[in-house]
Amino acid sequence: MFVSSLKVFKFRNLADQTIELGSGPVYVNGLNGNGKTNLVEALYLLSGSRSFRTNSSSELLKWGEKECSVFGTVVSENGTEELGLVFTPGERTAFCNGKPLDSVTELIGRLRVIAFSPADLSLVKGSPSGRRRFLDRHMVDLNPGFIKVLMAYQRALASKSAVLKQPGIDYSHVKPWNELLADYCGKIVDNRLNFIKSLSDKAALFHEQYAPSDGTLTISLESDFVEDDRALSCDEILGRLEGVAPKEMMMRTPSLGAQRDDLKIALGGVDARAFASQGQTRSVVLSLKLGVIDLLEAATGESPVILLDDVDSELDKGRSGRLFKALLGKSRQVIVTGTDAPPDHLLASENLCTLTVSQGTVVS
Ligand SMILES: Nc1ncnc2c1ncn2[C@@H]1O[C@H](COP(=O)(O)OP(=O)(O)OP(=O)(O)O)[C@@H](O)[C@H]1O
Ligand SMILES: [Mg+2]
C-alpha cells in the first residue's frame, strides 16, 4: 500500500498544501527545523496511531490556530480511500472518504505504517509501557478487531481502580471487575504470546545478518499470567486475581494484570534492556521492526508504508546500507528524511521521488 498524496492544513509549521508522493522510495530533503519530521508525523497519524512525538493534539495545531487537519489518499488492495483527521485542542475526528468515523480507531488497518525514528531507542531502553505499545500496535495491525479488547480491558481496569479507591468496599464490589478482567487478560496475554512467537524468529534472523557479533536476539513475554510458555486460562487468572484481592483492597490499587506485561529482550542471553550499548540497541530495534514488516507482509500480502526519519544521523554507514538494502529490495513506499543529498542506495533506485522542505513548504 502507499499514500499517493497528502494534504495538510494548519499542521505544525507546514504550509497549507497538497503533496504528491511516489509509490516507491521518496527522499525528503531539508535543513534542520524546516518540517521534515512534521511531514512524517502527518503521514504516521493517518494510520490511526497517536503521534510518536506527543500525546497532545494541541501541539499539532500551528501556533495560534484552533483547528488543523491531515488528509491522505491511500492506495491499497482495498482500492483507493481518502483518510483524514481533524484536530482541535484535546479532540481528534477521523474521516474516511469524506464521512466522519465514530472513532479514530476505525482508521486502523486502512493504512499500515512502520516508522523508524531516533526516538526508537526507548523501545529497548525505556519503560515497559513503550514495549507493550509496540506489541499491541502491531498485533492490531495484524488483527484490527483486537483494538476493541484492548480498549475494553483499559476501561475495566480503570473501573476496578476507581472501586478500589472507594471507602468501605468488600470483595463483592471488586469481583465483577475481576471476572471481566480475567477474560480480557487471558485474550491479551495469549495474543501477545502468539505475536512474540511469530516475530521472534524473523527478528533473530535479521539481527544475525546485522550484528552477528552481538549474540543471538531472543524475545519473550514477561507476564503475571504466563506459565511454561502458555497463557493461563481465564479461571486460573481469576484465581490469581482473587488471591491478591485482600492486598489490592488494602493498597487500594490493582497489583496484577496485563498492564504489567513486558517484552523481555536478550542478546546472547543477557538482558538488552539493562545492558545493551547504543549501537547494540539500534540493531535490536531495526531487527524488531524489520521482523514486523516481514510479518505484516506475510499476513496481509501488502507492504506497509515505511517511514525512516533521520536514520542516517543515527546509523553508521554499514548499518544504514544494510537497512536500505533490506527495505528497498521489494517494491515498497519507503519515505526517508535527511539533510544532505539522497544516500547512494536511494539514488540507485530508478523510481526515486525527491521532495525538498523549506520553511514548511514542500516542493518536488
Ligand atoms: N505547532 C507548531 N506550530 C508551528 N511550528 C511548529 C509547531 N510544532 C513544531 N513547529 C516547528 O516546526 C519546525 C520544524 O520541525 P521538524 O521537527 O519537522 O524539523 P525537521 O526538518 O525534522 O528538523 P531536523 O532536521 O532537525 O530533524 C521547528 O522549527 C518547530 O519549532
Ligand atoms: Mg526531524
Side-chain angles (χ1 to χ4, degrees):
M1 54 174 58
F2 65 99
V3 181
S4 62
S5 80
L6 177 73
K7 189 170 158 189
V8 286
F9 175 74
K10 308 286 181 230
F11 185 84
R12 292 210 188 250
N13 84 323
L14 297 178
D16 300 347
Q17 62 200 305
T18 301
I19 304 150
E20 305 295 332
L21 302 163
S23 61
V26 178
Y27 186 63
V28 183
N29 180 37
L31 298 176
N32 295 133
N34 274 259
K36 303 180 297 296
T37 303
N38 294 344
L39 178 63
V40 165
E41 184 183 35
L43 284 162
Y44 186 83
L45 290 166
L46 290 175
S47 70
S49 290
R50 295 250 172 214
S51 166
F52 50 83
R53 295 208 286 193
T54 178
N55 275 328
S56 139
S57 46
S58 318
E59 279 181 37
L60 306 173
L61 309 180
K62 183 165 289 191
W63 296 322
E65 299 292 341
K66 294 195 168 53
E67 184 175 301
C68 74
S69 63
V70 180
F71 281 81
T73 308
V74 177
V75 182
S76 74
E77 282 180 358
N78 291 338
T80 301
E81 285 186 319
E82 172 158 274
L83 307 182
L85 282 158
V86 174
F87 299 92
T88 53
E91 229 179 293
R92 349 175 253 173
T93 311
F95 290 81
C96 181
N97 296 328
K99 295 197 184 78
L101 300 173
D102 289 338
S103 151
V104 174
T105 58
E106 287 184 33
L107 285 178
I108 291 172
R110 296 174 193 269
L111 170 64
R112 286 183 285 274
V113 170
I114 304 288
F116 296 75
S117 85
D120 286 341
L121 291 187
S122 67
L123 176 57
V124 176
K125 291 295 182 174
S127 67
S129 64
R131 289 184 285 278
R132 284 194 298 274
R133 254 200 317 278
F134 168 81
L135 293 176
D136 293 346
R137 177 175 146 79
H138 297 308
M139 278 155 51
V140 166
D141 274 336
L142 286 168
N143 174 12
F146 193 64
I147 187 82
K148 292 205 168 73
V149 178
L150 292 169
M151 289 173 70
Y153 179 71
Q154 288 307 330
R155 278 196 302 272
L157 184 63
S159 301
K160 176 177 165 179
S161 299
V163 167
L164 286 172
K165 298 228 168 358
Q166 282 167 16
I169 55 156
D170 58 41
Y171 186 62
S172 69
H173 298 98
V174 181
K175 190 168 180 239
W177 296 114
N178 273 355
E179 286 169 352
L180 207 54
L181 287 168
D183 182 32
Y184 294 140
C185 264
K187 292 192 176 107
I188 292 171
V189 172
D190 193 43
N191 268 274
R192 284 178 178 163
L193 268 182
N194 287 332
F195 176 76
I196 291 169
K197 268 185 204 140
S198 30
L199 178 61
S200 65
D201 284 354
K202 294 186 188 295
L205 203 67
F206 280 113
H207 191 262
E208 171 69 31
Q209 292 159 16
Y210 265 112
S213 59
D214 289 356
T216 305
L217 170 66
T218 47
I219 54 174
S220 54
L221 186 68
E222 282 180 344
S223 171
D224 293 326
F225 304 134
V226 172
E227 235 172 50
D228 301 328
D229 222 17
R230 70 166 185 98
L232 297 184
S233 69
C234 193
D235 284 346
E236 289 169 313
I237 294 174
L238 186 58
R240 298 225 175 159
L241 290 176
E242 278 173 357
V244 296
K247 181 178 145 206
E248 287 185 331
M249 289 190 290
M250 196 173 74
M251 304 300 284
R252 299 180 149 215
T253 182
S255 69
L256 291 187
Q259 74 279 7
R260 288 166 24 105
D261 284 1
D262 196 358
L263 175 67
K264 183 172 183 194
I265 304 172
L267 285 178
V270 176
D271 192 338
R273 296 167 300 185
F275 297 109
S277 70
Q278 291 261 93
Q280 288 173 329
T281 302
R282 286 195 182 108
S283 296
V284 167
V285 172
L286 294 182
S287 307
L288 289 174
K289 296 216 174 184
L290 287 169
V292 170
I293 293 171
D294 221 24
L295 207 55
L296 288 180
E297 289 178 347
T300 67
E302 286 194 283
S303 292
V305 172
I306 294 159
L307 305 175
L308 297 178
D309 189 27
D310 223 7
V311 284
D312 254 14
S313 71
E314 279 292 296
L315 299 177
D316 59 49
K317 277 242 165 333
R319 244 190 241 135
S320 76
R322 286 194 290 271
L323 176 65
F324 279 118
K325 205 168 144 223
L327 292 176
L328 298 172
K330 288 192 191 162
S331 109
R332 299 181 175 116
Q333 188 177 44
V334 183
I335 299 172
V336 185
T337 72
T339 47
D340 291 321
D344 294 345
H345 333 279
L346 277 182
L347 277 176
S349 9
E350 51 195 42
N351 54 346
L352 177 66
C353 152
T354 306
L355 304 173
T356 304
V357 191
S358 174
Q359 295 184 359
T361 298
V362 183
V363 285
S364 51

